[in-house]
Amino acid sequence: MESPMRMRQLLIKTLREAPAEAELPSHRLLLRAGLVVPLAAGLYCFTPLGWRVVRNIERIIREEMNRSGAQEVHLPALHPIELWEQSGRAALMGPTLFRLTDRKEREFALGPTHEEVISYLASRLVQSYRDLPVTLYQVQTKFRDEPRPRGGLIRLREFTMKDAYSFDTSWETLDASYDAAFAAYQRIFRRAGVPVVPVAADSGAIGGKDSQEFVFLTESGEDTILLCPGCGYAANAEKAEFQPVPPLPGEPAPVEKVHTPGKKTIAEVAAFLGVEPRQTLKAVFYKADGRPVFVAIRGDLEVNEVKLKNALGARELEPMDDETVRRLGLVAGSASPVGVTGMPVVADTSATEAVNLVAGANEADFHLRNVNHGRDWQATNVAEIALARAGDACRKCGSALETRRGIEMGHVFKLGTLYAEKLGVYYLDEAGERRPCVMGCYGIGVERMLAAIIEANHDADGIAWPWEVAPFDVHVVVIGTAGDDAVGAALAEFEATAAGAGLDLLVDDRDESPGIKFKDADLLGMPVRVTVSPRALERGGVEVRHRRTGESNIVPVGTAAAAIAAARSEALEAGR
RNA sequence: CGGGGUGUAGCUCAGCCUGGCAGAGCGCCUGGUUUGGGGCCAGGAGGUCCCGCGUUCGAAUCGCGGCACCCCGACCA
């Protein structure tokens, strides 16, 4: 317990208006409440008040990670580049990796994540199956030269991540480590007051097997999530599976070239020829790691670029530029896999399973009817690369999927043995055989969580902190002239009993008008506001007002602290 | 990196089109008044008008170049 913080001392500047560039509610409130001060794109300073919230979030994370059996460690943020070359990710991360050189011209990177370094540590410590399983975690600064930082604390270039890594002897025991981390995450988000849904996710640049994200659903989110109202299936759009509308049945008919003057888009061609979009074949051109790729997909579907990238095993995927299109002789609007040579043709299963499709003729203003895979063209690679959209049928239960926007708060995934093999994390099993550890990794963005807490816990007047993360428990507003003995005595009594009850106080002792103090109290959002004033004392005590509900009562000075502490305990219990 | 926008006092912005003393509100400092929802009065401090070059007698204003920040897309906690 600390002595009360007095606002005369607290270095804080609340703003009546937020800067125009801040658009997200959390960004605006972080600035208005004076919790952060921007330094540069994706970089923020935390003020004393803001830092208290960060520390509270980290406290919850540590408590729950420890409870799950994980052990805290601390790794350097500065990494010898060799480690990253060893894992192959120096190239993979590309310009996102901040690089620097020391005085001896040795190259380093600022860690964007810590699989490499934790693997190094584990390789030095893990020797036997008796050492396993073990989960290590840290709360540490990450550096990523993001192409576009955004949304205040949503995407930063320097941020704090709680990252955990599990080491197991087998995929089976990895399941248990993964489940333990998963359960810890649910407790963490619940306690912090951020509603999240776990969704199936793509494992991204880090690679691996099962992968789930904890997503905070909000319209201002940057990810698209597909949810099934029927069976509860939830997945990131990058990963989401669905059941495309089945193709029209039929027997393969002879190919027929038709004149389609000026018709280029699927909609135009389909309408012109009197067929449905699903009876057409769409051609899309990409460059995968610089090499041209021809993609064929049914006309009513769209390409999921993440799935395509995975199917190709490509590192980078970009739309093919017009010049390359011309050079390769591709006819945009009438392109077709029929007769395409010199580049791989990746086909979605929808394109290979359908019969008698309308495809381009590789000749302007002409299309082909009755094109069939296997007979008329051959895919070099068939995969499911279609993008799930709202209204598509759920793969599991057939219900129409819904889409929502969301922000990724945490990510858990099963890495497998990839890093262990590359970085030498081996153990000896019971038979004395040398085997790679099976790894999992688990991350939470701390600042992003702070932003999400505000997104989920605010109203028109300001922030309404959940008890667990509030910088202070009680905001005491003192009203009355300095020489008012009754107010002074009541304040002293409340402070004394609050200390006994374990409450942290922020006392507004500034020489400001009551209006300013109340506005600031609402903006800063402590769970309870206590007003010590002549008017309240006349009515028999102090005013105790709950920020979240607006519920307000006059409570005798002597019992107010105990009552607040009881409400706090109750709320904390309910939140766990 | 592509598209859009912004850059003037600590904050919100006006002034720019049509070149001519650097402005308002809020905040800050001093004094007074007021004390239950950003109250009132008086006085005051505070400026690289993002930077550079150019046009001009004269540039916040016009032109060219650059930088920074924000928003939308491709990437991630």
Side-chain angles (χ1 to χ4, degrees):
Chain A
M1 210 35 51
E2 318 166 6
S3 32
M5 172 62 75
R6 311 210 174 261
M7 283 187 78
R8 279 182 199 272
Q9 269 82 54
L10 183 66
L11 188 61
I12 186 170
K13 195 71 60 180
T14 58
L15 301 178
R16 198 173 289 227
E17 295 159 292
E21 69 255 20
E23 294 193 351
L24 291 188
S26 63
H27 190 191
R28 297 179 65 80
L29 287 169
L30 281 160
L31 293 168
R32 281 195 57 210
L35 304 176
V36 297
V37 173
L39 174 65
L43 300 174
Y44 283 86
C45 306
F46 283 85
T47 64
L49 199 64
W51 188 241
R52 289 179 72 99
V53 185
V54 171
R55 298 292 292 183
N56 285 337
I57 295 168
E58 293 179 355
R59 192 199 71 243
I60 295 172
I61 289 173
R62 286 193 166 92
E63 285 176 8
E64 294 300 339
M65 291 309 293
N66 292 343
R67 182 136 77 105
S68 77
Q71 301 170 48
E72 184 168 2
V73 297
H74 190 75
L75 309 171
L78 196 57
H79 304 176
I81 199 71
E82 289 80 7
L83 266 184
W84 286 83
E85 280 162 0
Q86 208 176 329
S87 71
R89 288 207 296 182
L92 193 63
M93 300 289 302
T96 301
L97 194 65
F98 275 107
R99 291 164 174 266
L100 62 166
T101 308
D102 75 3
R103 63 174 73 206
K104 290 187 287 190
E105 299 292 305
R106 187 179 177 190
E107 283 205 56
F108 289 84
L110 292 175
T113 173
H114 279 74
E115 281 78 14
E116 281 77 3
V117 178
I118 198 76
S119 294
Y120 172 82
L121 178 66
S123 75
R124 300 298 299 266
L125 299 179
V126 172
Q127 294 178 314
S128 155
Y129 70 93
R130 292 181 218 274
D131 298 326
L132 303 173
V134 65
T135 297
L136 304 174
Y137 79 96
Q138 64 170 345
V139 179
Q140 231 264 18
T141 307
K142 310 295 184 203
F143 300 87
R144 296 181 185 177
D145 195 357
E146 294 285 350
R148 184 161 91 84
R150 70 169 281 262
L153 298 185
I154 297 295
R155 191 195 273 152
L156 299 169
R157 293 197 295 172
E158 174 179 332
F159 66 100
T160 311
M161 192 199 300
K162 187 290 301 173
D163 48 326
Y165 307 89
S166 64
F167 299 86
D168 274 278
T169 56
S170 70
W171 283 96
E172 288 68 40
T173 60
L174 168 59
D175 288 344
S177 300
Y178 182 93
D179 291 347
F182 189 96
Y185 275 31
Q186 296 212 292
R187 294 194 299 269
I188 290 166
F189 293 120
R190 180 174 164 83
R191 284 179 61 181
V194 181
V196 293
V197 292
V199 308
D202 185 77
S203 45
I206 295 177
K209 198 179 147 198
D210 291 350
S211 165
Q212 282 167 295
E213 290 171 357
F214 288 82
V215 174
F216 168 56
L217 296 176
T218 168
E219 277 315 301
S220 56
E222 45 191 355
D223 290 352
T224 301
I225 308 300
L226 284 110
L227 298 171
C228 176
C231 67
Y233 174 73
N236 193 304
E238 298 173 346
K239 178 78 174 179
E241 299 180 344
F242 70 106
Q243 190 58 56
V245 178
L248 289 179
E251 288 302 315
V255 172
E256 184 188 330
K257 186 170 174 182
V258 289
H259 191 181
T260 52
K263 308 302 177 192
K264 290 192 165 190
T265 67
I266 291 294
E268 289 167 358
V269 172
F272 183 74
L273 296 177
V275 300
E276 295 180 36
R278 64 173 156 154
Q279 291 170 278
T280 68
L281 189 65
K282 183 192 291 185
V284 192
F285 324 129
Y286 286 97
K287 271 180 149 177
D289 295 333
R291 284 194 292 275
V293 176
F294 189 106
V295 176
I297 190 168
R298 218 172 62 190
D300 60 322
L301 301 174
E302 279 172 34
V303 176
N304 179 327
E305 297 186 355
V306 172
K307 288 184 181 178
L308 173 61
K309 199 156 75 170
N310 290 342
L312 288 165
R315 192 187 297 159
E316 229 176 304
L317 189 73
E318 55 187 337
M320 192 183 290
D321 55 283
D322 294 346
E323 197 193 316
T324 308
V325 171
R326 267 196 304 279
R327 188 162 49 77
L328 294 172
L330 294 166
V331 187
S334 287
S336 159
V338 180
V340 160
T341 55
M343 71 185 105
V345 176
V346 182
D348 184 59
T349 47
S350 65
T352 57
E353 286 166 2
V355 186
N356 296 337
L357 295 176
V358 171
N362 285 329
E363 184 182 339
D365 297 333
F366 285 95
H367 281 77
L368 302 175
R369 281 185 188 272
N370 304 324
V371 166
N372 291 283
H373 179 254
R375 183 190 71 182
D376 307 317
W377 62 288
Q378 194 63 49
T380 45
N381 190 348
V382 179
E384 286 187 7
I385 53 169
L387 182 70
R389 293 167 298 190
D392 286 336
C394 174
R395 172 73 55 89
K396 293 192 162 56
C397 75
S399 305
L401 295 169
E402 297 171 356
T403 55
R404 299 281 299 276
R405 299 283 285 178
I407 300 172
E408 178 184 354
M409 303 301 304
H411 199 161
V412 296
F413 43 96
K414 298 178 182 174
L415 284 175
T417 57
L418 189 74
Y419 287 94
E421 284 164 12
K422 290 198 166 175
L423 295 153
V425 193
Y426 288 90
Y427 69 97
L428 292 181
D429 69 10
E430 293 92 324
E433 210 162 313
R434 191 165 172 268
R435 297 182 178 282
C437 285
V438 185
M439 292 172 59
C441 75
Y442 320 95
I444 292 179
V446 174
E447 291 88 350
R448 183 176 284 186
M449 204 159 140
L450 167 52
I453 291 168
I454 296 174
E455 291 287 339
N457 299 278
H458 75 273
D459 59 24
D461 295 320
I463 303 168
W465 297 112
W467 284 97
E468 287 265 16
V469 297
F472 295 93
D473 296 312
V474 180
H475 189 131
V476 182
V477 172
V478 183
I479 297 175
T481 50
D484 192 318
D485 291 344
V487 168
L491 176 62
E493 183 180 359
F494 179 73
E495 287 184 356
T497 52
L503 295 173
D504 282 328
L505 305 185
L506 176 64
V507 180
D508 193 344
D509 58 345
R510 296 174 301 171
D511 186 22
E512 295 287 356
S513 72
I516 288 178
K517 293 184 177 185
F518 287 137
K519 288 287 186 189
D520 274 347
D522 288 344
L523 175 61
L524 296 177
M526 304 320 148
V528 165
R529 185 186 80 194
V530 168
T531 305
V532 184
S533 68
R535 183 184 296 185
L537 290 174
E538 272 172 34
R539 296 192 199 156
V542 293
E543 185 207 17
V544 176
R545 184 170 186 274
H546 291 262
R547 176 66 180 83
R548 194 172 287 271
T549 61
E551 179 195 344
S552 171
N553 292 298
I554 300 292
V555 181
V557 183
T559 62
I564 294 166
R568 176 172 177 270
S569 302
E570 196 182 323
L572 289 178
E573 279 310 309
R576 290 188 184 182

